Amino acid sequence: MRELSRETPAPGLVVYQPRRGFRYAMDPFLLCGWALEGGRPSSVLDLGTGSGIMALLMARLGAEARGVDVRPEWVELATRSARESGLGASFELADVRELDGLTADLALMNPPYLRAGQGAPSPDPWKAAARTELNGGLSELVAAAARNAARLCLVLRADRGDEAVDAIRGAGLHPRRRCDIDSSLVLIEGGNEVGAWARERVTMRGPDGTWSPRVRGWYAAVGARLS
Amino acid sequence: MEAHIGLEQATRALSRPGGVVMYPTSTVYGIGGCAHDPAASLRIAEIKGRPPGGLIVLAFEPLLRGVLARRLAERFWPGPLTLVVPAWPGLPSELLAADGTVAVRPPLHPMAQALVRAVGPITSTSANPTGAAPPHRLSDVTLAVDAVIDVGPLPPSLASTIVRADTGELLREGAIPARAIAALLAGDLG
């Protein structure tokens, strides 16, 4: 039995995740806060949901939120977190690549940052699936998002930003926004509707070492605590 | 009068469980806490006196469901329109009406907006004990809160219009005329 930790990243929100191994970092909070600047979705799909953190954050704000993951352990944990938080988010076991026919306003993805074959996968199977593209490459995952949602926002390692934009085009969506955070992360948005392309660069911290206003704003937008 | 007096203290107060602050709204001074913090909602009920008087509003823009709710929000927000919508799971029970609805309205006063930008979803209800008049100046009221944003006396203004967003029923006519709501509903149904 894997040892779990019980996190409370926001008032009233409980999230279970493994004490060791793959754990959420700041990425999901940054992505959710940024995604809300591009529109206010009624329904949200969290593809490759893991702990369920993004679906839980969006459900807490009122959205109909649904998380999908290929690993049953994550689905079980996310379901437990939703139940204990009193939230209506639902989680299901499925291969994201096989999803079809859903009509969400927004798909969120925090996909594996490493391509298959890029370094040795972690011996921890939970961590390996979250870090390395063992269950589909970026273009397949983006295509799945495009089939099931009108808009997609994803977070990736900064050096894969151009690849993500290409994947969005390849899936028939229009790239709409890009936000480079330091030189570590990139947030990308694509959607069904044509719109002006917007790109910004953001720093995590200001000159005085505290969190930058953009980062603080994204956390506040989802009502999460930034320590 | 320093326009932003108390904003930092209020932000810090709301980062603690149970934190309750007093702040200006577009009509009167209100009190509120983090929307998802049950301890804050309980404390507000205690501060106002039981049973808590007046409407407790969620002062942020939620992710609305339902075509009519979204149309009303697109047309009138940010503006003096309070929507009564079916509550979604995860909200403290103190915020819910007996019929399972909750009132929502993004804040209009710049200080309240700044507070939401800093801490996220908050609640809002008039800062008066149950039975007393809603205060337009802080000297009108003494409540045991953790921080106060003081911008001086608030000018008189009309209360918000309240609409039940799942049915379109007008619950209170306020700053937005009933005919404007009716026109949108007619267009929506037509």
Side-chain angles (χ1 to χ4, degrees):
Chain A
M1 187 67 183
R2 187 175 285 253
E3 193 181 355
L4 301 176
S5 67
R6 183 180 185 275
E7 318 291 343
T8 52
L13 177 61
V14 173
V15 184
Y16 285 97
Q17 59 178 344
R19 189 168 293 283
R20 278 178 284 278
F22 187 80
R23 295 167 57 79
Y24 67 75
M26 294 178 73
D27 323 15
F29 301 93
L30 304 178
L31 180 63
C32 286
W34 184 76
L36 292 177
E37 293 175 352
R40 308 287 294 182
S42 293
S43 53
V44 177
L45 267 179
D46 180 2
L47 301 177
T49 191
S51 67
I53 177 72
M54 293 197 293
L56 295 167
L57 287 171
M58 292 301 198
R60 203 163 154 272
L61 297 178
E64 179 187 351
R66 182 171 179 175
V68 176
D69 205 284
V70 74
R71 292 200 65 86
E73 308 91 334
W74 282 125
V75 172
E76 190 181 321
L77 271 192
T79 302
R80 179 177 172 187
S81 297
R83 192 170 55 239
E84 201 158 314
S85 304
L87 291 170
S90 64
F91 297 93
E92 64 188 83
L93 180 66
D95 187 325
V96 167
R97 293 169 294 179
E98 292 169 6
L99 284 183
D100 205 2
L102 304 179
T103 55
D105 293 334
L106 172 68
L108 294 169
M109 280 203 312
N110 184 0
Y113 286 177
L114 299 177
R115 296 182 194 93
Q118 196 174 11
S122 168
D124 175 343
W126 295 31
K127 194 169 179 173
R131 285 260 175 92
T132 306
E133 292 175 344
L134 302 177
N135 299 290
L138 183 60
S139 58
E140 289 174 281
L141 299 175
V142 169
R147 280 198 306 276
N148 294 285
R151 185 162 71 97
L152 161 69
C153 289
L154 61 86
V155 55
L156 264 181
R157 219 170 61 172
D159 60 353
R160 299 188 69 186
D162 292 343
E163 182 188 347
V165 171
D166 288 343
I168 283 172
R169 282 204 187 91
L173 296 179
H174 302 281
R176 292 219 296 237
R177 292 192 297 150
R178 171 175 179 158
C179 177
D180 294 88
I181 305 175
D182 294 333
S183 52
S184 56
L185 295 174
V186 62
L187 312 174
I188 308 271
E189 178 182 309
N192 280 339
E193 294 172 14
V194 182
W197 171 247
R199 182 169 183 176
E200 67 172 326
R201 295 181 190 279
V202 166
T203 57
M204 288 288 278
R205 291 182 184 272
D208 61 356
T210 60
W211 298 114
S212 69
R214 293 291 278 143
V215 168
R216 288 203 305 269
W218 290 331
Y219 267 72
V222 293
R225 296 192 187 102
L226 182 58
S227 53
Chain B
M1 175 82 50
E2 185 70 27
H4 62 270
I5 189 162
L7 180 60
E8 281 185 26
Q9 293 94 320
T11 300
R12 278 199 297 277
L14 292 187
S15 70
R16 293 189 288 271
V20 172
V21 302
M22 195 172 338
Y23 61 90
T25 73
S26 55
T27 50
V28 296
Y29 275 93
I31 56 173
C34 278
H36 294 92
D37 179 1
S41 298
L42 278 172
R43 233 186 112 203
I44 289 166
E46 284 165 9
I47 288 170
K48 284 185 68 92
R50 290 176 179 281
L55 195 65
I56 299 182
V57 174
L58 287 175
F60 75 107
E61 185 181 349
L63 302 180
L64 291 169
R65 304 187 205 181
V67 173
L68 186 52
R70 291 174 70 86
R71 290 268 293 124
L72 285 162
E74 280 167 16
R75 172 67 183 83
F76 295 110
W77 282 356
L81 175 68
T82 300
L83 293 179
V84 173
V85 300
W88 57 94
L91 292 172
S93 57
E94 289 76 15
L95 302 181
L96 276 52
D99 62 357
T101 57
V102 65
V104 294
R105 181 182 68 245
L108 287 177
H109 194 284
M111 283 297 113
Q113 291 174 342
L115 196 56
V116 170
R117 278 198 302 275
V119 302
I122 60 174
T123 55
S124 180
T125 184
S126 57
N128 53 287
T130 300
H136 288 270
R137 66 189 75 229
L138 285 173
S139 56
D140 293 345
V141 65
T142 307
L143 295 178
V145 297
D146 302 312
V148 174
I149 300 176
D150 184 359
V151 296
L154 297 171
S157 63
L158 282 175
S160 66
T161 294
I162 305 178
V163 175
R164 192 172 163 129
D166 53 352
T167 62
E169 182 187 358
L170 183 70
L171 301 177
R172 177 180 79 187
E173 184 175 13
I176 296 175
R179 64 177 183 280
I181 302 292
L184 180 131
L185 295 179
D188 209 60
L189 298 172

